[in-house]
Amino acid sequence: MLWFWILLRVVLSPIMYGAWWPRNRGMRNVPKRGPALLACNHQSFADHFFGPLPLMRPIFFIGKGEYFTGKGLKGLISKGFFTGVGVVPVDRTGGPEADAALQTGLRILGEGKLLGIYPEGTRAPDERLYRGKTGVARLALKSRVPVIPMAMINTFKLMPPGQPYPRLGVRPGVRFGEPMDFSRYFGREDDREVLREVTDQIMEAIRELSGQEYVDRYAAEVKAEMAGKPVRRVDDDGDDGDEGIAED
């Protein structure tokens, strides 16, 4: 992952700044060393590039193992790319995906790294912000590290679904909010009401940074309806098996 991050900084950064002139702010809120959990809205595939761009240290994300198990040249390219942009595969040998993702996230934070998470659990179907799943809260309370709200700006317009490359003429950016302190909830990571409260506070902080309209529904449900597929309902606490940790 380090080699790709260095490539991004040295080679791609001048191109990205020159072509799109991103508006970034709040980088001082991200610690220069030590672990932190960055909770971000998810508008576009371009988030993987423009989100970490202004930071001087890499962000690691958790992804599904399928990204790393493809066959042939396509599978090799996929594995190399997702490894390069900081995606760490979920190790499911220890249990269900939600538990495996949680343990993987705790391991990354335990190594003193920055961990990025998309609480919506999937890319949004439009420019609005959707209800967060409670995995972000469970991870924050178990790890006891600072939570940094992070908002991607204009990346949906930059690279909407089906767009193979970023559009010119759109100015994206990222905003990092002040660290959020949830120490008053430590030890209560199995309390569903607490998990929902913490998650909603994080989503509200992201909304304030992004200026997005908030929709009190899960993005995955809306995407399924738009595609004419059966809607997979989840409980009020968002505990549907992945809890928003493993991003698709």
Side-chain angles (χ1 to χ4, degrees), residues 1 5 27 29-39 51-52 54-62 85-88 104-117 139 145-148 150 176:
M1 190 274 180
W5 183 78
M27 287 75 76
N29 291 318
V30 181
K32 291 183 172 61
R33 62 184 63 85
L37 179 61
L38 280 67
L55 298 181
M56 297 306 295
R57 54 184 301 200
I59 304 175
F60 292 81
F61 292 87
I62 300 173
V85 295
V87 177
V88 178
T104 301
L106 291 174
R107 175 178 60 80
I108 293 170
L109 292 169
E111 294 170 353
K113 298 175 180 176
L114 296 178
L115 176 66
I117 183 172
L139 188 54
V145 303
V147 178
I148 313 294
M150 174 179 171
F176 300 96

Side-chain angles (χ1 to χ4, degrees), residues 91-148:
D91 180 4
R92 301 183 64 179
T93 58
E97 185 169 352
D99 291 338
L102 177 65
Q103 293 305 316
T104 301
L106 291 174
R107 175 178 60 80
I108 293 170
L109 292 169
E111 294 170 353
K113 298 175 180 176
L114 296 178
L115 176 66
I117 183 172
Y118 299 115
E120 293 165 285
T122 184
R123 279 173 280 182
D126 50 42
E127 295 184 73
R128 299 180 294 176
L129 181 69
Y130 287 82
R131 195 176 201 224
K133 296 184 179 182
T134 57
V136 63
R138 182 172 282 110
L139 188 54
L141 298 186
K142 278 186 172 291
S143 67
R144 302 191 177 189
V145 303
V147 178
I148 313 294

Side-chain angles (χ1 to χ4, degrees), residues 21-228:
W21 196 22
R23 299 172 177 171
N24 306 317
R25 78 180 195 204
M27 287 75 76
R28 59 179 173 79
N29 291 318
V30 181
K32 291 183 172 61
R33 62 184 63 85
L37 179 61
L38 280 67
C40 187
N41 59 342
H42 198 12
Q43 296 192 39
S44 167
F45 188 75
D47 297 342
H48 290 296
F49 294 92
F50 286 94
L53 180 65
L55 298 181
M56 297 306 295
R57 54 184 301 200
I59 304 175
F60 292 81
F61 292 87
I62 300 173
K64 295 183 177 179
E66 288 83 349
Y67 293 153
F68 301 83
T69 57
K71 304 297 183 182
L73 180 60
K74 182 178 180 181
L76 186 63
I77 293 174
S78 175
K79 179 180 179 180
F81 172 79
F82 283 106
T83 300
V85 295
V87 177
V88 178
V90 173
D91 180 4
R92 301 183 64 179
T93 58
E97 185 169 352
D99 291 338
L102 177 65
Q103 293 305 316
T104 301
L106 291 174
R107 175 178 60 80
I108 293 170
L109 292 169
E111 294 170 353
K113 298 175 180 176
L114 296 178
L115 176 66
I117 183 172
Y118 299 115
E120 293 165 285
T122 184
R123 279 173 280 182
D126 50 42
E127 295 184 73
R128 299 180 294 176
L129 181 69
Y130 287 82
R131 195 176 201 224
K133 296 184 179 182
T134 57
V136 63
R138 182 172 282 110
L139 188 54
L141 298 186
K142 278 186 172 291
S143 67
R144 302 191 177 189
V145 303
V147 178
I148 313 294
M150 174 179 171
M152 300 305 307
I153 308 298
N154 280 344
T155 51
F156 188 89
K157 292 186 176 114
L158 179 76
M159 196 174 178
Q163 178 76 15
Y165 48 83
R167 293 169 170 167
L168 294 174
V170 178
R171 193 175 179 187
V174 59
R175 298 170 184 168
F176 300 96
E178 295 184 359
M180 304 181 72
D181 178 16
F182 295 110
S183 58
R184 62 192 180 279
Y185 298 118
F186 287 170
R188 302 177 64 187
E189 58 268 11
D190 294 321
D191 185 324
R192 292 189 174 189
E193 292 185 3
V194 167
L195 293 178
R196 174 45 55 194
E197 172 65 21
V198 171
T199 301
D200 288 346
Q201 288 183 37
I202 292 172
M203 298 310 293
E204 173 59 20
I206 295 173
R207 188 202 64 77
E208 290 180 359
L209 285 171
S210 68
Q212 292 171 279
E213 176 187 349
Y214 179 74
V215 180
D216 194 22
R217 293 189 63 194
Y218 295 108
E221 293 180 358
V222 176
K223 289 171 75 171
E225 288 181 353
M226 293 172 64

